[in-house]
Amino acid sequence: MKKLSVLLIFFIGFLNAQKLTSHELSIINQGDVNTALPIYQTTDSNQHKTLLNISSEADPLDPNIAVLVKRMRESLLSTDGGVGIAAPQVGINRKIIWVQRFDKEGAPLEYFINPVIVWRSDLQNLGPEGDLSIPDFRDQFYRSKVIQLEYVDLKGQKYSEIVEGFTAVIFQHEIDHLFGILISDKKEKEKNDSYKKVDAYQKSDLMKDRR
């Protein structure tokens, strides 16, 4: 029954994927489409509003989405140690993220369209996080140690996998962006929460943790 519900969510999401607006298309196709898109900052009031918006489903078969995916990768590569990026961070409120997979050999960068976390472990880790869109901000956050993720690729093929550790943290951080959740706001909401501390970050001391 649960599996059927998840499939239904993906089917409905695919049907509800709205066409890109003229504004979104102008951003995606501005300048050289082989180069990075500028990363939005909370220090700019208009860009901050975009970062706080909830993202819509993306149509994986739209060729403009393929361009966006490619340019997002270039944006991430242009940063100093960034390990993940979400579409709102380049001005597009669509459910697309890039994540560096430290759980795979060679730590490759991979994209994910319409990612959904369908399960989170109760066990949580406490570790440092920063954000490419929030200058000079860094703090400690609780994240589930293990998640189950579902998503599609640019061919519309659906995937499901279990992710844990530092990579799971990156996924949770980037998917938060798709719901307009910034870590600067998240810290305020967590002040009254209590968790069992488990220090299981394996990469946090080696990376800049900027996502």
Side-chain angles (χ1 to χ4, degrees):
M1 186 66 179
K2 181 179 178 182
K3 187 174 182 180
L4 181 61
S5 297
V6 171
L7 289 173
L8 184 60
I9 290 172
F10 269 85
F11 180 69
I12 292 174
F14 184 78
L15 290 179
N16 291 336
Q18 299 175 349
K19 290 184 178 180
L20 292 165
T21 66
S22 57
H23 177 66
E24 289 173 323
L25 289 171
S26 67
I27 293 176
I28 293 170
N29 296 300
Q30 67 183 350
D32 185 344
V33 296
N34 295 309
T35 61
L37 288 167
I39 296 176
Y40 276 35
Q41 301 294 306
T42 56
T43 48
D44 181 295
S45 59
N46 289 327
Q47 294 181 4
H48 193 185
K49 288 179 182 178
T50 298
L51 291 167
L52 294 175
N53 288 337
I54 296 176
S55 294
S56 302
E57 299 281 339
D59 179 358
L61 304 182
D62 185 335
N64 291 289
I65 292 296
V67 174
L68 174 58
V69 167
K70 181 179 180 180
R71 299 196 73 177
M72 284 176 61
R73 183 177 189 275
E74 295 303 316
S75 297
L76 181 56
L77 289 173
S78 72
T79 67
D80 181 18
V83 295
I85 194 169
Q89 292 181 280
V90 295
I92 306 293
N93 288 118
R94 297 288 172 159
K95 294 182 178 180
I96 304 169
I97 63 174
W98 276 90
V99 169
Q100 187 162 7
R101 298 298 301 265
F102 292 105
D103 56 339
K104 293 186 177 182
E105 184 177 357
L109 292 175
E110 295 181 356
Y111 75 89
F112 303 85
I113 298 176
N114 301 331
V116 177
I117 296 175
V118 296
W119 175 81
R120 303 171 188 256
S121 67
D122 291 332
L123 186 62
Q124 298 190 323
N125 296 331
L126 175 65
E129 293 184 36
D131 196 294
L132 296 173
S133 294
I134 311 175
D136 305 318
F137 180 86
R138 184 181 178 83
D139 212 320
Q140 299 281 322
F141 294 89
Y142 289 98
R143 299 285 187 180
S144 293
K145 183 178 180 181
V146 185
I147 62 172
Q148 181 178 355
L149 181 77
E150 303 212 350
Y151 59 93
V152 297
D153 62 15
L154 285 169
K155 296 180 180 180
Q157 178 66 45
K158 179 186 170 185
Y159 300 89
S160 176
E161 60 178 301
I162 300 293
V163 185
E164 60 183 305
F166 183 56
T167 303
V169 171
I170 304 173
F171 272 110
Q172 290 169 83
H173 178 109
E174 300 308 333
I175 290 175
D176 271 357
H177 269 296
L178 304 182
F179 292 91
I181 300 171
L182 301 177
I183 55 174
S184 52
D185 301 322
K186 182 179 176 66
K187 176 52 61 176
E188 290 299 314
K189 295 177 181 178
E190 282 188 348
K191 283 183 177 179
N192 296 322
D193 293 341
S194 60
Y195 302 94
K196 180 180 178 180
K197 294 183 179 181
V198 178
D199 187 10
Y201 277 50
Q202 297 182 357
K203 296 287 184 178
S204 58
D205 292 333
L206 301 178
M207 305 303 298
K208 294 178 183 285
D209 300 330
R210 298 181 63 209
R211 294 176 282 283

